[in-house]
């Protein structure tokens, strides 16, 4: 069964931030050689909730698609390149995901193979878009309002904005207690719904991908605690 890992790392020291930025290029050969890996991306993050055009130089992420859950856990915990990130970071968190639906493309590929299982338990949503340069300003003007709404939503266990290239590539990732709470947020007629309508009407994206996942488990902490613990506290 295909398993997707998404690993986040925080680097508070300036020298480690410089190292992490350099690894956006230098880590590529080592990651590409890992046994069992398929599609993968190295990403930076935005400030605040992550959904801003201002880069957060302290946070970086590695997304990888693996041929099995066992391989995903083994490589993210033991592979030399992942261990280098862990040693440098003050904090790290990796979440393991099984795709349940996906449509669209990422860098011309369809990276996720949805499993036949339905959404159950904690649900993760990932959107990825390549912005058309002519629409960048309109897109980023809407982002602060959307970020505020997501930040105020107590149902969201984890949320972050990441991307391969600042301003042009945008990835949003969030985790919800169940499919119902995520669907309710998506349907609500607020800044998020309004932005989706504007995107559709204006053809803002050159490429886009939407995917949903079942959350299989996680390792580590983020902001001092395991993010999935929030779901248990809310049930």
């Amino acid at each position: 069964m295909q398993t997707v890992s998404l690993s986040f790392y925080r680097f508070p020291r300036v020298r480690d931030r410089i190292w992490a930025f350099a690894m956006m290029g230098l880590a590529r050969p080592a990651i590409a050689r890992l046994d069992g890996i398929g599609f993968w991306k190295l990403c930076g993050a935005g400030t605040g909730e992550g959904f801003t055009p201002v880069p957060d130089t302290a946070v970086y992420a590695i997304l990888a698609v693996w041929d099995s859950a066992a391989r995903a856990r083994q490589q993210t915990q033991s592979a030399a390149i992942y261990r280098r990130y862990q040693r440098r970071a003050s904090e790290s968190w990796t979440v393991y995901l099984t795709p349940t639906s996906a449509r669209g493309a990422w860098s011309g590929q369809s990276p996720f193979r949805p499993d036949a299982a339905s959404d159950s338990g904690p649900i993760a949503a990932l959107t990825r878009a390549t912005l058309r340069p002519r629409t960048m300003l309109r897109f980023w003007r809407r982002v602060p309002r959307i970020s505020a709404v997501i930040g105020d939503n107590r149902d969201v266990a984890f949320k972050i904005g990441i991307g391969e290239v600042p301003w042009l590539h945008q990835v949003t990732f969030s985790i919800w207690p169940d499919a119902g709470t995520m669907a309710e947020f998506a349907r609500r007629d607020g800044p998020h719904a309004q932005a989706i309508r504007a995107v559709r009407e204006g053809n803002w994206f050159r490429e886009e991908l939407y995917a949903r996942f079942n959350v299989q488990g996680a390792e580590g902490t983020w902001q001092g605690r395991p993010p999935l613990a929030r779901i248990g506290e809310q049930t």
Side-chain angles (χ1 to χ4, degrees):
M1 179 185 298
Q2 186 188 69
T3 296
V4 178
S5 65
L6 187 49
S7 303
F8 300 95
Y9 303 91
R10 191 185 307 280
F11 302 94
R13 297 185 301 184
V14 172
R15 67 188 185 199
D16 292 325
R17 295 185 186 193
I18 295 172
W19 175 88
F21 178 77
M23 292 301 282
M24 291 285 285
L26 298 177
R28 298 174 67 85
I31 292 176
R33 291 194 298 266
L34 292 173
D35 289 340
I37 200 168
F39 183 89
W40 56 271
K41 290 291 181 179
L42 295 165
C43 297
T47 53
E49 299 290 349
F51 306 101
T52 73
V54 181
D56 184 347
T57 60
V59 176
Y60 289 83
I62 304 174
L63 179 143
V65 178
W66 306 93
D67 56 11
S68 70
R71 183 95 70 170
R73 289 183 179 271
Q74 176 190 23
Q75 295 288 43
T76 56
Q77 295 175 30
S78 303
I81 186 64
Y82 277 92
R83 291 179 66 83
R84 289 183 69 186
Y85 274 82
Q86 291 163 7
R87 286 195 298 267
R88 289 268 190 169
S90 63
E91 186 176 40
S92 64
W93 185 65
T94 296
V95 59
Y96 302 100
L97 311 163
T98 300
T100 58
S101 65
R103 60 184 175 88
W106 189 335
S107 299
Q109 301 182 51
S110 299
F112 308 125
R113 298 194 309 270
D115 185 74
S118 60
D119 294 330
S120 61
I123 301 296
L126 181 149
T127 69
R128 189 269 182 184
T130 298
L131 295 170
R132 298 185 187 278
R134 62 179 172 80
T135 66
M136 284 176 54
L137 184 59
R138 280 177 287 170
F139 175 84
W140 288 111
R141 278 176 175 168
R142 289 180 178 266
V143 165
R145 292 180 62 205
I146 299 171
S147 179
V149 172
I150 294 176
D152 291 339
N153 192 310
R154 295 180 60 84
D155 290 326
V156 186
F158 181 81
K159 65 274 187 184
I160 195 168
I162 58 177
E164 309 110 279
V165 179
W167 307 300
L168 281 177
H169 294 166
Q170 174 68 8
V171 178
T172 66
F173 180 77
S174 56
I175 297 178
W176 304 77
D178 51 54
T181 53
M182 184 171 66
E184 180 183 354
F185 173 80
R187 288 193 299 264
R188 194 173 303 154
D189 188 20
H192 182 262
Q194 294 165 14
I196 290 175
R197 287 196 294 271
V199 164
R200 294 289 173 266
E201 294 168 0
N203 192 27
W204 289 10
F205 296 158
R206 191 174 66 207
E207 182 184 59
E208 55 188 311
L209 178 142
Y210 300 88
R212 285 166 61 162
F213 308 83
N214 285 335
V215 178
Q216 299 301 324
E219 301 282 348
T221 63
W222 198 249
Q223 296 181 338
R225 62 180 304 183
L228 298 185
R230 285 193 57 186
I231 295 176
E233 293 169 358
Q234 293 168 1
T235 57

